[in-house]
Amino acid sequence: MSLRHNVLLFLCIFPFTNALYKQWIPDTNFDNATNWDKGSVPCGNDQVVFLAQSKVSVYVETAHTITGMSLPVDGELILASGAGFTVREGGDPGCGSGVTAHFKDSESQKWFDPSLWVAATTIDDLHRGTYQFSVHEESVPCQYDDVVFREATSFRVDVSSDYDVPVKSVSVLGKKFTSSSEFSQYLSSNSGKLQFHGSSSLKVGNSGCNDITGCICDNSGNRDRICSNVKCDSLECKKPLNPVGHCCDVCGAVVNVQFSSSFNFESYRQRLQHLFLSQHKYESIQMALSKVSKEQRLLRVIPFGATQEIQVLLLDQKTGQEAGKLAEALARDVVRDVHNHGLNFGITSAEFQASSGASSSEAAGNNAGVVVGAVLGSLLGVCLLAAVVVLYRRGIVKIPRMPSIPSLSKWKNSSEIGELGGPLDHGFDNPMFDKPTMMPEEPGLYGTEMINTITLTPSGVHFVNPVYDETDFNA
């Protein structure tokens, strides 16, 4: 089977989308030991306390025996089948002397905290724990993503933002909401008010990504909120990189891929995972694949538009001076693969930057880079010429006139001027010296005596300077 047939089969297997399933990690389950200040689930000799002013929806999976319980003013207990509470004094020899267990406050858990989400390409990968690494802006749900709150769990999440938060769908307690009206009814219920709170509204029913080349996440409007929940590590690499959509500089490599309309985002993700990340030497590499928009600048200064490209962020687990070297090696392999096979996947060119300071670019095909460079150079020249013509016609730009050059015949005729006995060239009028009224009156300075002292000789023009007149000097 040819490489082209393999590519077509590859495109048929994987969907034409880069939307993900984003699952919320925390919960407010009674049976989750991390939700208790003592680090363990209350047992038969313990007293259970919920803060009186807390607003919380607690999911209870099993039956429990306790000595007492203090409930909040505004809260709920969701009991699974067979779950419940028995209250009695002592009687549990395996529980020790008994303690007062406080349920932790969950008010601080925010929707825009990247560390509180995991992502997967399919719901099965989500259940298996096969997660995708993403840049910080894409670690929280994007507008095309399906949001999942695990079955048999409850939660409380702060959805505060300056904008509405759009997503494709939301699954809560095993029910999937895909329409805005249906989900709005749930948000107005007692459980919905306790689980979702904040200044903005969560909008469900956004269309999925229908672009084969992928879709831009577009969480940049909430970048400040996202990055406020991220702590960046100190770096030791030579030239840290700042990938689009990431809150922190990193040691590693970034590959920027230019693509055509036949490019398939999801199939290329799978190609990189199966061709490279499955290799033993690269198994520790984290890869984040994103479609991003980058501002274009003429001469790297003047902005003139934006272009879309695929960003491949590669991070390794090494630290110190070794950080980023393995990621750079993988970046070189990816760029080399684009050079050899990129056209088969709708990729026109790729380049990489590494935190070591190294960089490289490759065009798909042998001479494609030369052709693309020549075409872009020609287009740029035509555009600049057209711009000058338009500005000239509108009068914004004026082309200065060149000084006229006298003809040879005129030059020849004028060369006779100045010969002995011919007319004198007086040049231009000087108001300081041509008009006697412009200077203080000095006897004889501008009189006939001065004019009569000018004589013509074969050697040139001579005049008498009254300041150094011979008679005055002798005197």
PDB file of all heavy atoms in Angstrom, residues 221-232:
ATOM      1  N   GLY A 221      -9.013  36.004  26.293  1.00  0.00           N
ATOM      2  CA  GLY A 221      -9.708  37.038  27.043  1.00  0.00           C
ATOM      3  C   GLY A 221      -9.651  36.814  28.543  1.00  0.00           C
ATOM      4  O   GLY A 221      -9.803  37.754  29.324  1.00  0.00           O
ATOM      5  N   ASN A 222      -9.457  35.568  28.967  1.00  0.00           N
ATOM      6  CA  ASN A 222      -9.352  35.231  30.382  1.00  0.00           C
ATOM      7  C   ASN A 222      -7.922  34.859  30.777  1.00  0.00           C
ATOM      8  O   ASN A 222      -7.719  34.200  31.797  1.00  0.00           O
ATOM      9  CB  ASN A 222     -10.290  34.072  30.719  1.00  0.00           C
ATOM     10  CG  ASN A 222     -11.755  34.489  30.685  1.00  0.00           C
ATOM     11  OD1 ASN A 222     -12.183  35.372  31.421  1.00  0.00           O
ATOM     12  ND2 ASN A 222     -12.531  33.853  29.810  1.00  0.00           N
ATOM     13  N   ARG A 223      -6.960  35.290  29.973  1.00  0.00           N
ATOM     14  CA  ARG A 223      -5.567  34.918  30.232  1.00  0.00           C
ATOM     15  C   ARG A 223      -5.111  35.359  31.622  1.00  0.00           C
ATOM     16  O   ARG A 223      -4.443  34.602  32.333  1.00  0.00           O
ATOM     17  CB  ARG A 223      -4.663  35.521  29.159  1.00  0.00           C
ATOM     18  CG  ARG A 223      -3.174  35.238  29.402  1.00  0.00           C
ATOM     19  CD  ARG A 223      -2.293  35.817  28.316  1.00  0.00           C
ATOM     20  NE  ARG A 223      -0.885  35.631  28.628  1.00  0.00           N
ATOM     21  CZ  ARG A 223      -0.194  34.514  28.384  1.00  0.00           C
ATOM     22  NH1 ARG A 223      -0.802  33.476  27.842  1.00  0.00           N
ATOM     23  NH2 ARG A 223       1.073  34.430  28.696  1.00  0.00           N
ATOM     24  N   ASP A 224      -5.459  36.587  32.010  1.00  0.00           N
ATOM     25  CA  ASP A 224      -5.017  37.082  33.316  1.00  0.00           C
ATOM     26  C   ASP A 224      -5.573  36.232  34.445  1.00  0.00           C
ATOM     27  O   ASP A 224      -4.867  35.940  35.429  1.00  0.00           O
ATOM     28  CB  ASP A 224      -5.428  38.544  33.494  1.00  0.00           C
ATOM     29  CG  ASP A 224      -4.651  39.482  32.573  1.00  0.00           C
ATOM     30  OD1 ASP A 224      -3.588  39.058  32.080  1.00  0.00           O
ATOM     31  OD2 ASP A 224      -5.114  40.607  32.352  1.00  0.00           O
ATOM     32  N   ARG A 225      -6.828  35.824  34.341  1.00  0.00           N
ATOM     33  CA  ARG A 225      -7.430  34.964  35.373  1.00  0.00           C
ATOM     34  C   ARG A 225      -6.750  33.597  35.401  1.00  0.00           C
ATOM     35  O   ARG A 225      -6.490  33.041  36.473  1.00  0.00           O
ATOM     36  CB  ARG A 225      -8.924  34.791  35.107  1.00  0.00           C
ATOM     37  CG  ARG A 225      -9.741  36.048  35.333  1.00  0.00           C
ATOM     38  CD  ARG A 225     -11.219  35.777  35.115  1.00  0.00           C
ATOM     39  NE  ARG A 225     -12.002  36.982  35.320  1.00  0.00           N
ATOM     40  CZ  ARG A 225     -12.478  37.373  36.500  1.00  0.00           C
ATOM     41  NH1 ARG A 225     -12.259  36.629  37.559  1.00  0.00           N
ATOM     42  NH2 ARG A 225     -13.177  38.483  36.597  1.00  0.00           N
ATOM     43  N   ILE A 226      -6.468  33.063  34.231  1.00  0.00           N
ATOM     44  CA  ILE A 226      -5.830  31.749  34.157  1.00  0.00           C
ATOM     45  C   ILE A 226      -4.423  31.812  34.752  1.00  0.00           C
ATOM     46  O   ILE A 226      -4.044  30.986  35.587  1.00  0.00           O
ATOM     47  CB  ILE A 226      -5.790  31.265  32.695  1.00  0.00           C
ATOM     48  CG1 ILE A 226      -7.215  31.013  32.183  1.00  0.00           C
ATOM     49  CG2 ILE A 226      -4.949  30.002  32.560  1.00  0.00           C
ATOM     50  CD1 ILE A 226      -7.299  30.729  30.695  1.00  0.00           C
ATOM     51  N   CYS A 227      -3.661  32.804  34.323  1.00  0.00           N
ATOM     52  CA  CYS A 227      -2.261  32.880  34.757  1.00  0.00           C
ATOM     53  C   CYS A 227      -2.126  33.278  36.224  1.00  0.00           C
ATOM     54  O   CYS A 227      -1.083  33.015  36.839  1.00  0.00           O
ATOM     55  CB  CYS A 227      -1.490  33.861  33.872  1.00  0.00           C
ATOM     56  SG  CYS A 227      -1.317  33.304  32.152  1.00  0.00           S
ATOM     57  N   SER A 228      -3.158  33.895  36.802  1.00  0.00           N
ATOM     58  CA  SER A 228      -3.093  34.239  38.223  1.00  0.00           C
ATOM     59  C   SER A 228      -3.106  32.996  39.102  1.00  0.00           C
ATOM     60  O   SER A 228      -2.742  33.065  40.286  1.00  0.00           O
ATOM     61  CB  SER A 228      -4.268  35.150  38.593  1.00  0.00           C
ATOM     62  OG  SER A 228      -5.503  34.468  38.476  1.00  0.00           O
ATOM     63  N   ASN A 229      -3.506  31.867  38.546  1.00  0.00           N
ATOM     64  CA  ASN A 229      -3.533  30.608  39.288  1.00  0.00           C
ATOM     65  C   ASN A 229      -2.328  29.717  38.998  1.00  0.00           C
ATOM     66  O   ASN A 229      -2.293  28.573  39.445  1.00  0.00           O
ATOM     67  CB  ASN A 229      -4.818  29.836  38.946  1.00  0.00           C
ATOM     68  CG  ASN A 229      -6.076  30.572  39.352  1.00  0.00           C
ATOM     69  OD1 ASN A 229      -6.305  30.839  40.528  1.00  0.00           O
ATOM     70  ND2 ASN A 229      -6.906  30.922  38.375  1.00  0.00           N
ATOM     71  N   VAL A 230      -1.362  30.252  38.237  1.00  0.00           N
ATOM     72  CA  VAL A 230      -0.204  29.461  37.823  1.00  0.00           C
ATOM     73  C   VAL A 230       1.057  30.012  38.491  1.00  0.00           C
ATOM     74  O   VAL A 230       1.281  31.221  38.498  1.00  0.00           O
ATOM     75  CB  VAL A 230      -0.030  29.485  36.290  1.00  0.00           C
ATOM     76  CG1 VAL A 230       1.214  28.734  35.877  1.00  0.00           C
ATOM     77  CG2 VAL A 230      -1.260  28.898  35.608  1.00  0.00           C
ATOM     78  N   LYS A 231       1.858  29.135  39.031  1.00  0.00           N
ATOM     79  CA  LYS A 231       3.150  29.508  39.605  1.00  0.00           C
ATOM     80  C   LYS A 231       4.251  29.005  38.682  1.00  0.00           C
ATOM     81  O   LYS A 231       4.345  27.815  38.390  1.00  0.00           O
ATOM     82  CB  LYS A 231       3.323  28.906  41.007  1.00  0.00           C
ATOM     83  CG  LYS A 231       4.615  29.311  41.678  1.00  0.00           C
ATOM     84  CD  LYS A 231       4.734  28.705  43.074  1.00  0.00           C
ATOM     85  CE  LYS A 231       6.056  29.106  43.726  1.00  0.00           C
ATOM     86  NZ  LYS A 231       6.191  28.509  45.089  1.00  0.00           N
ATOM     87  N   CYS A 232       5.089  29.920  38.222  1.00  0.00           N
ATOM     88  CA  CYS A 232       6.151  29.566  37.274  1.00  0.00           C
ATOM     89  C   CYS A 232       7.438  29.187  38.009  1.00  0.00           C
ATOM     90  O   CYS A 232       7.776  29.792  39.028  1.00  0.00           O
ATOM     91  CB  CYS A 232       6.415  30.733  36.324  1.00  0.00           C
ATOM     92  SG  CYS A 232       4.986  31.209  35.317  1.00  0.00           S
TER      93      CYS A 232
END
